[in-house]
Amino acid sequence: MRFKTIRSRVAIVATLFAVVLVATIAVGTYALVARGMQAAAIETAGLLADVAERVTRNTLDTARERAESAGMDREEAQAAMLAAMVEEPPAPFAEGLAYEGSFALHVIQQPGDEPVMVWGVGESHEAGDETLRMRAFTGDGPVADFPGAQPLIRGMFVRADLGVYSYYLPLELPGVHAAVLDVAYMPRDQEAILDATRLPITVLGLIALTGSLLAAMGTTRRAISLIDDLRRTADSVDVGVLDVRLPEEGGTEVVDLARSLNRLIDGLQRRNEVQARFIADASHELATPVAGIRGYVNILRAWGAEDPALQEEAVSAIDRESRRMARLCSDLLSLIRSEEQVEYRQIRYDINAVCREVLANAATRYLSKELRFTGPREGPLWLHGDPDRIEEALGILVDNACKYTPDGGSVSVTTRRSRDRVVVDVTDTGVGIPEEDLPNVFERFYRSDISRSQETGGFGLGLAIAKHIVDVSDGTISVRSTVGSGTTFEISLPRQRVR
Ligand code: ADP
């Protein structure tokens, strides 16, 4: 995992915060619950002891009163009290208490001896790890095991999970010097766990808190300084100053932003360069006919009046050059219009019909060259796109084919399906394009030497316009050619709308 991006750093900070928060809440809840349960255990044990004492005393007092009113001696009274306890065990402890588990008080009678009453607990109950015990003690110590013990009082006890609490309830019982009712709760050592974990959790929490604060501050400072750098550099970028690039170091999102902005500046710079070259090329192309016109105007001024033949020649040259200028202006306008951000239509059209239309127009224009035209003969081949734009592009290719093919040659347009695309080939038997010119023919104002020398009159803008139209239509255009035998331009278009 990389920790360079602002997102990952923020995630770490957030995780640290979350850990601290959850740990604090967990410890807090644990402490609260523990305290609550301890309180419940204390209260329950206290109530148990209280009730046990009261019930026991009542029973014994009643037995003693009965024995005294019957005029019994001490030993008889003790026996009667014991019998009362055995025969009429006190009612179960108060019903209002929510008890769980059970306990019992037992009367112990040693075989052969005087009955010795010892209060004890014969049953202890386990609930999970916890044990609630009620034990009785004689003066000689705790009473552990009495096989003959009779259950005297049965009751329930509340289960509590935390704390160690005992109530030693001294009982004065007949025949026993001292007996103690011990209500105790034997717990796990949660308190100790709490104590043991409190310090490390506090320290860890503080460390995590400090760490996350420092990390947050560091991340914020770094991000702000990167953004400051970007802003300063971006401020220095201007239309005329496009050789500035934003720093792309590190791996944060800010660097991604810098990369995107740099790409944008690259694009602007390229566009600027293309535009500058275009203006230079266009000015150059315009300068040639203007120079010609001016030259012939000078000739006319100097000798036109005396020499009608020269006058005629100059006027027709001026006419030719001005027509050339007009054509160049029209080509430039077509190029600019083709590059305007106008939406291309997306309609279903038959490409074969478009091809036939283009060929028919060319046949009319180039009638005098006696070319042989072949178009697609098949039925409709449907495409989605802008048929007018595609007709314009095909028109340029067919016009070139006618221009650069000697009289009597042939120009053909064929179409075929190729998976989800349609391929249109425009083939001629013309002069061809030298191999070294092939990569450049789609550039603006590019003309191969052959066509220049033949003075066919183009400005090298047609293929740039055609390529732009095909590009915007999500198609591709390519060329293959052999000098002296002919040229094929291939356009591949998607059958369905792409975007
Ligand atoms: P132009 O107006 O000069 O024809 P284009 O952009 O249409 O401009 O074509 C650029 C150059 O590519 C042409 O000047 C020519 O040298 C060459 N070219 C284009 N089409 C053909 C073709 N069918 N046969 C031979 N050369 C061609």
Side-chain angles (χ1 to χ4, degrees), residues 400 403-404 428 433 446-448 451 458-463 487:
N400 278 351
K403 261 194 312 197
Y404 300 114
D428 63 56
I433 305 170
Y446 193 87
R447 278 178 284 166
S448 86
S451 50
F459 297 101
L461 291 175
L463 288 180
T487 306

Side-chain angles (χ1 to χ4, degrees), residues 70-379:
M72 292 179 185
D73 62 13
R74 188 169 174 271
E75 275 175 17
E76 280 171 343
Q78 274 184 4
M81 285 162 68
L82 177 58
M85 290 295 284
V86 173
E87 282 157 20
E88 286 179 58
F93 290 159
E95 282 170 17
L97 294 171
Y99 296 134
E100 189 181 296
S102 63
F103 70 88
L105 295 179
H106 294 258
V107 175
I108 306 301
Q109 196 164 7
Q110 303 282 14
D113 288 341
E114 288 286 305
V116 176
M117 187 183 277
V118 177
W119 297 88
V121 172
E123 292 177 31
S124 67
H125 289 268
E126 305 227 339
D129 296 346
E130 306 85 29
T131 304
L132 183 80
R133 291 187 292 111
M134 291 179 74
R135 292 186 303 161
F137 290 78
T138 66
D140 303 327
V143 178
D145 187 25
F146 301 95
Q150 303 278 323
L152 181 60
I153 303 171
R154 286 191 185 280
M156 310 289 279
F157 64 80
V158 169
R159 174 186 165 189
D161 288 344
L162 296 166
V164 186
Y165 303 101
S166 295
Y167 286 83
Y168 297 95
L169 194 63
L171 294 175
E172 268 181 42
L173 299 171
V176 180
H177 300 298
V180 176
L181 181 62
D182 164 16
V183 181
Y185 176 65
M186 299 294 288
R188 284 178 294 187
D189 48 352
Q190 276 88 351
E191 189 101 35
I193 294 171
L194 265 185
D195 285 345
T197 52
R198 198 169 289 129
L199 183 68
I201 283 183
T202 312
V203 171
L204 275 179
L206 281 175
I207 291 173
L209 204 64
T210 318
S212 43
L213 275 177
L214 287 176
M217 278 163 62
T219 304
T220 316
R221 198 175 303 140
R222 168 110 180 97
I224 287 173
S225 90
L226 283 170
I227 289 169
D228 260 359
D229 285 355
L230 281 189
R231 188 188 45 73
R232 262 196 301 278
T233 320
D235 279 350
S236 64
V237 176
D238 197 359
V239 185
V241 190
L242 288 172
D243 49 358
V244 186
R245 291 296 177 273
L246 306 168
E248 292 185 9
E249 294 127 27
T252 63
E253 289 86 344
V254 179
V255 172
D256 291 344
L257 176 67
R259 272 194 206 115
S260 303
L261 287 173
N262 281 343
R263 270 200 297 276
L264 185 77
I265 301 171
D266 283 346
L268 281 175
Q269 196 172 30
R270 265 200 307 277
R271 208 179 158 77
N272 251 11
E273 284 164 8
V274 168
Q275 261 173 6
R277 206 173 61 230
F278 176 68
I279 290 168
D281 287 346
S283 314
H284 176 75
E285 291 294 333
L286 279 169
T288 314
V290 168
I293 290 169
R294 290 189 54 160
Y296 283 110
V297 167
N298 286 338
I299 289 172
L300 272 181
R301 279 215 185 101
W303 300 288
E306 300 127 40
D307 190 341
L310 187 71
Q311 189 185 37
E312 179 55 34
E313 190 190 330
V315 168
S316 53
I318 289 171
D319 182 44
R320 196 177 59 239
E321 292 301 323
S322 57
R323 276 174 201 277
R324 190 171 155 74
M325 274 178 73
R327 248 186 304 130
L328 176 58
C329 290
S330 141
D331 278 7
L332 284 173
L333 276 177
S334 303
L335 180 70
I336 289 163
R337 225 175 294 126
S338 81
E339 292 190 352
E340 274 170 4
Q341 298 284 337
V342 282
E343 186 83 355
Y344 277 33
R345 285 192 297 161
Q346 282 294 333
I347 56 169
R348 189 164 171 266
Y349 68 96
D350 173 16
I351 185 75
N352 285 343
V354 172
C355 293
R356 283 192 286 267
E357 172 93 19
V358 169
L359 279 171
N361 286 341
T364 325
R365 267 183 287 125
Y366 290 92
L367 205 58
S368 59
K369 290 189 84 171
E370 296 184 344
L371 300 167
R372 202 151 50 81
F373 291 96
T374 321
R377 291 203 188 90
E378 310 85 54

